[in-house]
Amino acid sequence: MKMVTTMALTIILILIIMIVLLNSISKKTLIDREKHSPFECGFDPKNLARLPFSLKFFLIALIFIIFDVELTLLMPLVKITESSKLMDFSISVTTFIVILTFGLFHEQNQGSLNWIN
């Protein structure tokens, strides 16, 4: 065990030394205008490469992902019905759906679901 640990530490030390050495002797410059500008067939770009992004689309996508993950949590509940008591199952499912509904109402009250603004 001690030999494996020693070999692992030796390999990690060699890797760290190689990374530091290669980064220090490389001819790569950190600030290169050509590499950081967008490529347009060798010409200078006419417009900015980064367009402003609508935060509304981001919020809708985030809400979709959250509710999609919660839907994947609901899918295995069908299989759980065979092995659990009906009362415990119905209480847990009802609690979960009530929490989802409150989350949906909260998003609606915050205005995240309104497209007109």
Side-chain angles (χ1 to χ4, degrees):
M1 183 69 178
K2 187 175 181 181
M3 184 176 177
V4 173
T5 307
T6 309
M7 289 178 70
L9 288 175
T10 306
I11 291 171
I12 291 172
L13 182 65
I14 291 171
L15 288 174
I16 290 173
I17 290 172
M18 286 178 61
I19 289 172
V20 169
L21 183 67
L22 290 175
N23 280 335
S24 64
I25 64 173
S26 69
K27 294 183 179 180
K28 180 177 67 172
T29 59
L30 296 177
I31 301 172
D32 189 6
R33 185 173 97 60
E34 295 296 326
K35 287 186 179 179
H36 290 294
S37 65
F39 180 71
E40 289 187 11
C41 300
F43 299 107
D44 288 332
K46 295 179 183 177
N47 301 341
L48 291 176
R50 302 193 186 275
L51 299 174
F53 183 72
S54 175
L55 190 60
K56 192 59 124 175
F57 291 113
F58 177 74
L59 288 175
I60 293 294
L62 193 63
I63 291 169
F64 172 76
I65 289 173
I66 289 170
F67 284 105
D68 192 41
V69 167
E70 291 170 352
L71 182 65
T72 59
L73 292 174
L74 280 173
M75 294 300 285
L77 291 178
V78 175
K79 189 70 174 166
I80 293 175
T81 58
E82 300 170 358
S83 63
S84 65
K85 296 179 184 175
L86 184 62
M87 189 64 173
D88 294 338
F89 175 75
S90 59
I91 288 173
S92 62
V93 169
T94 304
T95 305
F96 188 72
I97 291 176
V98 164
I99 290 171
L100 284 179
T101 307
F102 281 140
L104 183 63
F105 286 140
H106 176 72
E107 293 296 329
Q108 180 67 33
N109 288 338
Q110 293 293 321
S112 297
L113 302 176
N114 294 333
W115 283 94
I116 302 171
N117 262 349

